[in-house]
Amino acid sequence: MTITESANNPKAFAPGVDKSKSYQANFKVWRGNSETGALQDYSVEVNDGEVVLDIIFRIQADQANDMAVRWNCKAGKCGSCSAEINGRPRLMCMTRMSALPPGEEVVVTPMRAFPVIKDLVTDVSFNYEKAKQIPAFAPKPREADGTYRMQQIDVERGQEFRKCIECFMCQNVCHVVRDHEENKKSFAGPRFFIRLAELDMHPLDTNDRQMLAQEKHGLGMCNITKCCTEVCPEHIKITDNGIIPLKERVVDRKYDPLFKILGLSKKKTND
Amino acid sequence: MTELERHSYDVLVIGAGGAGLRAAIAAHEAGARTAVVCKSLLGKAHTVMAEGGIAAAMGNVWPEDNWKVHFRDTMRGGKMLNNWRMAQLHAQEAPSRVWELEEWGALFDRTKDGLISQRDFGGHRYARLAHVGDRTGLEMIRTLQQRVVALGIDVYMECTITRLLTDGTGEAAHGANRGNIAGAFGYWRETGRFVAFDAPAVILATGGIGKTFKVTSNSWEYSGDGHALAARVGGTLLNMEFIQFHPTGMVWPPSVRGILVTESVRGDGGILKNSDGKRFMFDYIPEFFKADTADTEAEADRWYEDKTNNRRPPELLPRDEVARAINAEVKAGRGTPAGGAFLDIASRRTPEYIRKRLPSMYHQFKELADVDITAEPMEVGPTCHYIMGGVEVEPDTAAAMVPGLYAAGEVAGGMHGSNRLGGNSLSDLIVFGKRAGDAAADYAKGLGSAPKAADGQIEVASKEALAPFEREGGENPYALHQELQTTMNLLVGIIRDADEMRDALAKLQEFKDRAKNVTVEGNRMFNPGWHLAVDLNNMLLCSEMVAKAALEREESRGGHTRNDFPKADPEWGSKNLILSEKDGEVSLVHKPLPVMPDDLKVLFEESK
């Protein structure tokens, strides 16, 4: 096959599109802005192997050119295309159409815990403000030979949390803020608890993160319902490996008589 | 009309990927008032997609490694068309930039001695890539993002720059938009309202042009904005014909065609097979790499453990070679059902090893294709991944050919020659990001008074951006974009031919005319149709540059393969192609490649 032949046959570059498996789906997509909005119906073609984001693109290209949606990588690595699919927070790019109930309507709405900007796009600036409130990583000095030495097993604990792609679905689903706007001020949310946990477990960090988590970021408000863990597309064990160990350390510190008597609060405990 | 929102800085960085963030940190630390503007949210830039690692000759795994070996590998990978000085600086400075990331909190995988671990990759003599599983780009962007936040650098998110501003003092013949950089003009995606930044120094860190191709690993952001912004104020672009088609993109299901499958799969032991079950890469070892490449499966397999006495497996040849080989196998009728090659690690490594080393590939295939890569082979094929060409810059300062303009990362040209080695992109970002930031801060500081945007530039830019709303009954931008992508893929893709490229140029001319008539519906609030209509102009300009340069270069080298000129030509090997734009027309001149000094030339003679 020469290139010229393939030029006449665009399919040559996309073999595998088996149109016999295509079907027409009914989508309900929330359209609107900060003031008003409603679900709108779209009847749209679905092909074999497609994900919800493909369908949103098709609606956008053919039926609603101005439909607002965030996305970047379309491979589950950037965390931009978070939305609620049939009421469940999901990455649209990682939700295969074949995984949804066949024949049923697909309802796509914006994340509920954040103010809507337009259509599926929400104002997630809450998260960027919270990020600014976390004191920066502060490493201890390098070793005499100019290196930092860390064991793989010690970096792996923090690496689990650094897999976070900041899709903010854990923030969206957390009941402390999902229906309680008033809690946002004093509650950083699961994404930032694992950020604090990650820094706390970082072999090189010298800042004290534990009391900070409790006193400034509302760790105590979390009552471990694990909703965040359930929605995490990176399968980070947010509650078990992040929040609970952090809570335990805080408790150890708070009720340690030595800390109380001597007023020690700055020393970092490494296990 | 409401008053225009205006901000003033010493250094404005456009783009918040690895290069942009590193540049902003450098400029800020050098004392410049610095801001970053980006089209997406902070932390979502294309750098997060990088999987394999950061190439840096730290010598943690192989003490024999040093910058000279890395430099040699880079130049050979680029088929000697790299700007030697950039390749030298890159190889020399990459280790320090990696250690710096560690100091800012990056948690790289470790060696047994507790140092940063380094993995094998195509074209690199030694295991050299600092990595975090297969999500190194995410680690880099998060580390830089958190550093930027810690330093309190201003970041303007979801803001698109459509024009650079100049003081209009440039050569009169080139029109009023030439001169010294004075700032940038753009719109907020959320509201659609305009914003201007007054800044004497602007750093372009906008990435590539991959969204001009149909099968691509690149996101919507990759519309060649920086290339076009530079060209429209008189900047020159270098060797735009060199485009890397990554050999291993997903090919099934069709909706994910093009999504990247990291080279680490091969670095960690994966092999390529055709539909006959044959490990075909041994048939595609070019003369240029024969001396360095194993010619039996036994030797190739021993190499992973003993690099001193064995040569590299052919699966780890530079990307251009592997991509062409897969392409040829598919054309010869030995492709997989979905039209690719089999990439097999399941039969070569244990499931535990695969899940540990390649966690995100494991998930990607499991969730998108229903394939368990620890038990079955993957189907892969070439995907548009990276442009080696880009804005012509001064090697030491990343300064473009416009006073006050800088470019770093993928948008800059020269560093990678005709083909980039895997892992050299992330290191490029931080090495030249820092250099650009330092130089831009220095330039801004040295100016007596900041240049002011010439009268009328903002009015012209506003009018141009709003034009799609003014028209009625024209074409939908999505349809035109899809046609452009198909045309580039088919006619200026991995294998090229003069006739086809002439067809492509004729089509591009037609698209340019049609783009003038594109209409968008709705209003200015977060309107992706409008955003695409604006970005399309950049994609069209870049596509034309790619096609013109590709037609001009009558040889095959790296990421430019001509059916009608299948061999590399030493004459062409000493030439860069320089592109420029004036009044919407693209022109092209030949320029001799800078000559490498003798003390570096020796490195290539010794190895023969």
Side-chain angles (χ1 to χ4, degrees):
Chain A
M1 184 177 72
T2 70
I3 272 280
T4 322
E5 277 162 6
S6 66
N8 299 326
N9 173 20
K11 287 285 159 56
F13 271 80
V17 183
D18 180 356
K19 286 276 181 184
S20 70
K21 290 184 184 164
S22 301
Y23 65 98
Q24 209 64 21
N26 291 320
F27 263 63
K28 277 190 188 304
V29 183
W30 195 90
R31 303 289 315 271
N33 54 38
S34 57
E35 281 150 25
T36 167
L39 289 172
Q40 275 203 23
D41 290 301
Y42 298 97
S43 171
V44 56
E45 184 182 84
V46 176
N47 300 312
D48 191 27
E50 287 185 330
V51 294
V52 170
L53 190 57
D54 289 310
I55 312 307
I56 295 292
F57 287 164
R58 191 163 295 130
I59 296 172
Q60 196 182 44
D62 301 336
Q63 305 180 49
N65 287 182
D66 64 342
M67 183 157 80
V69 53
R70 278 199 187 102
W71 71 282
N72 282 291
C73 75
K74 202 175 176 283
K77 291 184 170 57
C78 75
S80 300
C81 63
S82 310
E84 302 196 359
I85 298 168
N86 296 337
R88 230 188 116 72
R90 312 279 303 245
L91 292 178
M92 288 188 276
C93 72
M94 295 301 280
T95 307
R96 298 185 76 190
M97 287 300 295
S98 58
L100 300 174
E104 283 179 28
E105 261 178 1
V106 180
V107 181
V108 187
T109 49
M111 285 194 285
R112 194 170 93 200
F114 306 114
V116 167
I117 291 174
K118 187 182 160 195
D119 304 336
L120 299 175
V121 174
T122 57
D123 176 359
V124 292
S125 56
F126 164 73
N127 301 291
Y128 288 91
E129 290 310 312
K130 291 294 175 189
K132 288 181 192 165
Q133 293 163 12
I134 305 232
F137 172 70
K140 59 189 179 196
R142 290 182 177 277
E143 287 170 38
D145 64 355
T147 65
Y148 283 124
R149 285 179 196 262
M150 295 180 257
Q151 291 308 305
Q152 181 66 23
I153 192 159
D154 295 324
V155 301
E156 274 173 13
R157 298 193 304 166
Q159 282 181 339
E160 180 188 3
F161 306 126
R162 288 183 74 84
K163 285 196 304 191
C164 171
I165 57 174
E166 299 203 323
C167 64
F168 305 129
M169 292 198 296
C170 59
Q171 305 284 82
N172 173 53
V173 82
C174 178
H175 65 97
V176 178
V177 287
R178 188 165 169 95
D179 291 309
H180 296 280
E181 191 63 29
E182 71 279 7
N183 285 343
K184 281 188 177 169
K185 203 166 161 265
S186 49
F187 185 75
R191 193 283 169 256
F192 297 101
F193 295 146
I194 60 166
R195 168 73 174 137
L196 286 161
E198 165 218 321
L199 288 164
D200 191 49
M201 293 173 191
H202 198 302
L204 302 179
D205 187 47
T206 56
N207 269 337
D208 179 27
R209 312 277 172 185
Q210 296 163 12
M211 297 317 285
L212 195 77
Q214 182 73 8
E215 286 158 12
K216 293 257 174 1
H217 299 291
L219 182 69
M221 293 164 87
C222 162
N223 50 9
I224 325 183
T225 51
K226 300 199 182 185
C227 311
C228 51
T229 304
E230 276 170 32
V231 297
C232 178
E234 287 294 307
H235 310 292
I236 300 169
K237 294 198 171 66
I238 300 175
T239 332
D240 289 357
N241 293 351
I243 295 177
I244 292 175
L246 206 54
K247 277 176 174 275
E248 284 170 352
R249 289 174 186 209
V250 169
V251 170
D252 287 350
R253 288 271 296 275
K254 256 182 139 169
Y255 299 104
D256 185 329
L258 198 62
F259 278 98
K260 276 204 151 164
I261 296 163
L262 301 177
L264 296 175
S265 66
K266 274 291 161 203
K267 192 179 167 295
K268 178 163 174 165
T269 54
N270 268 326
D271 278 337
Chain B
M1 195 178 140
T2 48
E3 204 176 321
L4 179 70
E5 177 184 346
R6 261 192 129 113
H7 301 277
S8 171
Y9 290 95
D10 298 326
V11 174
L12 181 73
V13 181
I14 306 176
L21 295 179
R22 188 61 192 82
I25 292 166
H28 173 90
E29 286 181 336
R33 290 176 306 124
T34 304
V36 180
V37 197
C38 53
K39 291 211 283 189
S40 286
L41 296 171
L42 182 58
K44 309 299 182 193
H46 216 277
T47 306
V48 305
M49 297 287 285
E51 292 160 354
I54 314 171
M58 295 184 285
N60 290 353
V61 178
W62 294 87
E64 298 90 330
D65 200 10
N66 60 55
W67 76 262
K68 289 179 181 166
V69 189
H70 190 183
F71 168 75
R72 175 179 172 272
D73 290 346
T74 300
M75 292 292 303
R76 282 173 59 83
K79 299 278 160 60
M80 306 304 288
L81 208 69
N82 319 50
N83 179 305
W84 65 267
R85 176 64 179 159
M86 289 175 88
Q88 179 190 26
L89 290 169
H90 167 259
Q92 288 173 332
E93 294 174 5
S96 301
R97 297 286 82 77
V98 172
W99 288 318
E100 196 169 66
L101 292 178
E102 189 179 42
E103 207 164 291
W104 295 341
L107 279 174
F108 292 107
D109 287 344
R110 317 304 295 184
T111 65
K112 285 198 176 68
D113 297 335
L115 298 173
I116 295 172
S117 173
Q118 301 189 265
R119 77 159 25 123
D120 285 310
F121 239 55
H124 293 281
R125 175 84 181 81
Y126 297 109
R128 184 181 284 149
L129 270 68
H131 60 275
V132 185
D134 54 1
R135 54 159 194 86
T136 314
L138 175 66
E139 187 69 13
M140 178 187 269
I141 203 139
R142 210 57 91 223
T143 303
L144 292 170
Q145 170 185 353
Q146 286 159 352
R147 179 75 181 164
V148 160
V149 169
L151 294 173
I153 296 171
D154 292 340
V155 181
Y156 296 84
M157 300 196 284
E158 299 197 312
C159 184
T160 302
I161 296 300
T162 62
R163 278 279 178 179
L164 296 179
L165 305 171
T166 67
D167 62 4
T169 56
E171 202 186 327
H174 280 89
N177 55 351
R178 288 350 192 210
N180 302 298
I181 289 293
F185 172 89
Y187 62 86
W188 289 104
R189 288 164 59 78
E190 178 177 338
T191 58
R193 289 167 75 161
F194 293 132
V195 54
F197 296 88
D198 295 303
V202 170
I203 300 172
L204 299 171
T206 52
I209 64 148
K211 220 47 197 169
T212 52
F213 286 81
K214 183 169 182 224
V215 178
T216 176
S217 66
N218 293 172
S219 87
W220 69 270
E221 294 199 282
Y222 266 39
S223 50
D225 295 6
H227 298 83
L229 288 170
R232 293 195 176 112
V233 291
T236 44
L237 289 96
L238 183 86
N239 297 340
M240 291 291 279
E241 65 277 26
F242 293 116
I243 291 181
Q244 180 165 85
F245 292 84
H246 193 292
T248 60
M250 289 178 81
V251 294
W252 197 91
S255 73
V256 299
R257 199 178 172 84
I259 290 181
L260 193 64
V261 180
T262 176
E263 188 166 328
S264 318
V265 177
R266 284 170 284 138
D268 289 348
I271 55 171
L272 290 161
K273 289 182 188 166
N274 62 21
S275 58
D276 300 336
K278 185 177 179 197
R279 188 171 167 184
F280 59 82
M281 277 309 299
F282 290 97
D283 300 342
Y284 294 92
I285 305 168
E287 203 50 52
F288 191 72
F289 291 107
K290 271 219 158 87
D292 298 335
T293 312
D295 50 15
T296 64
E297 295 194 21
E299 182 183 357
D301 289 347
R302 285 195 305 265
W303 174 85
Y304 288 97
E305 299 306 323
D306 175 6
K307 292 183 171 50
T308 323
N309 300 308
N310 298 290
R311 292 168 298 172
R312 338 173 30 81
E315 281 85 2
L316 290 175
L317 281 164
R319 288 174 174 174
D320 53 329
E321 309 290 351
V322 183
R324 273 192 297 270
I326 295 176
N327 202 59
E329 287 293 308
V330 175
K331 281 196 172 181
R334 296 186 292 269
T336 65
F342 289 114
L343 173 58
D344 172 27
I345 191 164
S347 73
R348 315 227 335 138
R349 298 287 183 265
T350 64
E352 295 71 39
Y353 179 90
I354 297 168
R355 272 197 294 268
K356 172 110 185 71
R357 299 281 292 185
L358 304 162
S360 89
M361 285 305 104
Y362 175 76
H363 282 292
Q364 185 173 309
F365 274 89
K366 192 93 192 128
E367 289 175 31
L368 291 174
D370 257 335
V371 167
D372 177 358
I373 68 167
T374 68
E376 317 159 62
M378 298 160 249
E379 283 186 64
V380 295
T383 177
C384 176
H385 184 56
Y386 188 90
I387 181 158
M388 274 68 69
V391 177
E392 186 184 17
V393 292
E394 236 267 311
D396 288 71
T397 59
M401 304 302 140
V402 176
L405 187 63
Y406 299 79
E410 188 172 350
V411 68
M415 159 69 209
H416 303 288
S418 68
N419 173 56
R420 175 176 69 77
L421 293 185
N424 272 359
S425 179
L426 290 184
S427 40
D428 170 10
L429 304 183
I430 44 180
V431 167
F432 292 100
K434 178 177 189 310
R435 284 190 159 266
D438 286 341
D442 219 39
Y443 169 82
K445 235 180 284 174
L447 284 176
S449 62
K452 289 230 168 348
D455 288 345
Q457 286 192 0
I458 286 182
E459 288 70 20
V460 170
S462 330
K463 230 178 143 177
E464 171 188 72
L466 291 178
F469 285 112
E470 307 296 324
R471 302 183 281 250
E472 273 175 39
E475 193 170 358
N476 156 351
Y478 296 93
L480 185 53
H481 180 218
Q482 282 167 13
E483 255 188 84
L484 169 66
Q485 290 182 302
T486 306
T487 301
M488 290 303 283
N489 232 81
L490 291 176
L491 304 179
V492 201
I494 181 164
I495 311 286
R496 298 162 174 173
D497 201 281
D499 291 341
E500 289 179 350
M501 287 188 286
R502 282 193 198 98
D503 288 352
L505 282 164
K507 284 214 153 212
L508 288 168
Q509 196 54 51
E510 177 205 318
F511 295 157
K512 263 164 70 176
D513 294 337
R514 282 163 58 187
K516 291 187 188 123
N517 205 28
V518 157
T519 309
V520 297
E521 56 182 55
N523 59 30
R524 284 165 71 176
M525 271 192 68
F526 215 116
N527 185 340
W530 176 40
H531 304 161
L532 179 59
V534 174
D535 291 350
L536 250 181
N537 294 319
N538 298 338
M539 287 191 256
L540 285 166
L541 176 58
C542 291
S543 299
E544 187 178 346
M545 288 185 162
V546 170
K548 279 217 162 119
L551 179 60
E552 180 79 4
R553 185 175 287 272
E554 296 185 327
E555 66 158 350
S556 291
R557 182 182 299 270
H560 172 63
T561 305
R562 290 282 299 255
N563 220 3
D564 43 357
F565 297 94
K567 288 216 164 69
D569 175 348
E571 182 91 5
W572 275 107
S574 64
K575 276 185 202 169
N576 285 325
L577 288 177
I578 308 291
L579 295 129
S580 55
E581 184 262 9
K582 189 187 155 192
D583 300 328
E585 296 304 313
V586 172
S587 55
L588 185 159
V589 293
H590 296 196
K591 187 173 172 179
L593 198 69
V595 179
M596 192 187 293
D598 290 342
D599 60 322
L600 292 178
K601 266 190 195 151
V602 178
L603 296 172
F604 299 88
E605 281 148 22
E606 279 166 357
S607 66
K608 268 178 191 164

